Amino acid sequence: MNNHTQLREDLIDDLSNYDKDYLIKSIICFLPQSQLEELKDSIDREIF
């Protein structure tokens, strides 16, 4: 895993084995406050 693209692809492959709701909750726990606020704002503005 020497490059960013390969790491991203490997993570996507690994994460595809998990339930969507579990993944959402788990990833949200890792985000810092600023990213949580940005994500919430994007959802509220229906950008997502």
Side-chain angles (χ1 to χ4, degrees):
M1 284 189 265
N2 292 341
N3 65 46
H4 184 75
T5 303
Q6 185 62 46
L7 177 58
R8 182 184 307 257
E9 290 174 4
D10 289 347
L11 280 169
I12 289 170
D13 289 342
D14 292 344
L15 292 172
S16 68
N17 296 318
Y18 294 94
D19 176 67
K20 177 183 74 169
D21 291 336
Y22 173 78
L23 282 175
I24 291 170
K25 291 174 184 176
S26 298
I27 291 171
I28 292 293
C29 291
F30 283 103
L31 296 176
Q33 181 70 26
S34 61
Q35 288 185 329
L36 290 172
E37 291 171 1
E38 288 179 29
L39 179 58
K40 177 70 171 125
D41 184 55
S42 294
I43 291 170
D44 289 346
R45 290 184 291 134
E46 297 181 8
I47 289 176
F48 248 94

